């Protein structure tokens, strides 16, 4: 998903618009996670970028996406660029010497 979300809408409180954007993002992620995994993949991984515009978007971890969206909204931006791309993920074995108790 590559989309520019407006953060202001006439007649709606800014917080409700932000909640609707977060809902759309979560809905997209859940829909992607329901898809069948490619052969050999263990899970779906997501590459995420977020910013006030496409040029200022920074790489963000999926778990911190909504927190960074709040930061963009708090800067007074009128829109937010969100890019979430699904890719196959492969689990890697831990090195034997790095196991902590």
């Amino acid at each position: 998903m590559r989309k520019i979300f407006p953060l202001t809408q006439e007649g709606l409180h800014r917080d409700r618009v932000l909640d609707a954007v977060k809902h759309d993002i979560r809905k997209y992620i859940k829909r992607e996670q329901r898809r069948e995994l490619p052969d050999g993949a263990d899970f779906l991984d997501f590459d995420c970028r977020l910013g006030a515009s496409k040029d200022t978007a920074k790489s963000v971890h999926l778990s911190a996406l909504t927190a960074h969206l709040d930061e963009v909204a708090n800067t007074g931006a009128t829109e937010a660029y969100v890019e979430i791309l699904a890719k196959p993920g492969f689990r890697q074995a831990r090195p034997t010497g790095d196991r902590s108790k």
Side-chain angles (χ1 to χ4, degrees):
M1 164 181 20
R2 291 182 184 116
K3 190 169 181 180
I4 297 175
F5 289 100
L7 297 178
T8 58
Q9 189 174 357
E10 189 175 332
L12 290 178
H13 193 274
R14 188 173 171 91
D15 291 342
R16 300 299 74 80
V17 175
L18 187 61
D19 287 342
V21 170
K22 289 178 184 178
H23 176 72
D24 283 347
I25 291 170
R26 288 183 188 117
K27 187 169 64 171
Y28 173 77
I29 292 169
K30 286 181 182 181
R31 182 174 51 232
E32 286 296 310
Q33 288 175 336
R34 283 194 307 262
R35 290 189 179 193
E36 192 171 319
L37 292 174
D39 289 337
D42 297 317
F43 62 96
L44 270 180
D45 196 10
F46 294 94
D47 287 333
C48 305
R49 291 182 51 204
L50 183 116
S53 68
K54 186 175 183 175
D55 299 329
T56 62
K58 296 179 182 175
S59 227
V60 178
H61 192 270
L62 180 64
S63 63
L65 191 64
T66 56
H68 284 283
L69 185 60
D70 287 334
E71 289 177 15
V72 169
N74 288 337
T75 62
T78 58
E79 58 187 24
Y81 173 78
V82 178
E83 179 178 307
I84 304 171
L85 302 174
K87 64 179 184 178
F90 304 96
R91 299 206 189 277
Q92 297 177 353
R94 279 191 201 170
T96 56
D98 288 346
R99 295 192 183 202
S100 57
K101 294 180 182 180

